[in-house]
Amino acid sequence: MIDHKIQFFSFDEAVQAARSDPGTELVGIKFDEPFSYLGVYIIQIYADEPDNVNVSYEGGALFDPLGEEDFFDLEDAPAEAKKLFYARRTDLGRGHANVMGLTSEFVLQEVLPGLSEDAKYRDQAHFMQVAGAEFRAYWRHA
């Protein structure tokens, strides 16, 4: 569990942070009521391409193995991505949160300290209720 306060960034601040430290990944999460669908954006600049800001996206319904992914340049980043708050990936999940390539409920367990894969949930609806409460309490959002 993370025991320090996470620094959150607006989209523009996240882009600046990525430019200042190529290789850093900044994670933005879209998780709104009824808390059944998760969207994750990552802003990153690769050291060998310092002029290119990469915005990647993965999203999917909770408890559904299917999802979607997309990749954008800074100029093509969706309006949704620009409204989110971002945190350094290294500040999440004990410093090594896995946020890509997992089903949505496992991503939430990686990034929200109040969720645990060891916890017992009555059913999927109970998990979504707890996840929504944890997200609202933990993640800065508009």
Side-chain angles (χ1 to χ4, degrees), residues 45-108:
I45 295 176
Y46 300 108
D48 59 345
E49 296 181 42
D51 295 329
N52 293 330
V53 176
N54 301 292
V55 180
S56 56
Y57 171 81
E58 280 196 17
L62 272 62
F63 308 103
D64 187 341
L66 301 177
E68 56 186 339
E69 66 180 11
D70 213 338
F71 303 92
F72 308 94
D73 292 326
L74 181 60
E75 300 77 30
D76 300 327
E80 174 180 85
K82 295 177 181 179
K83 294 177 185 175
L84 300 177
F85 287 98
Y86 292 79
R88 285 184 177 87
R89 188 170 86 96
T90 55
D91 286 345
L92 305 171
R94 297 184 203 99
H96 53 79
N98 188 5
V99 295
M100 302 301 268
L102 297 176
T103 57
S104 296
E105 66 276 9
F106 289 112
V107 172
L108 289 169

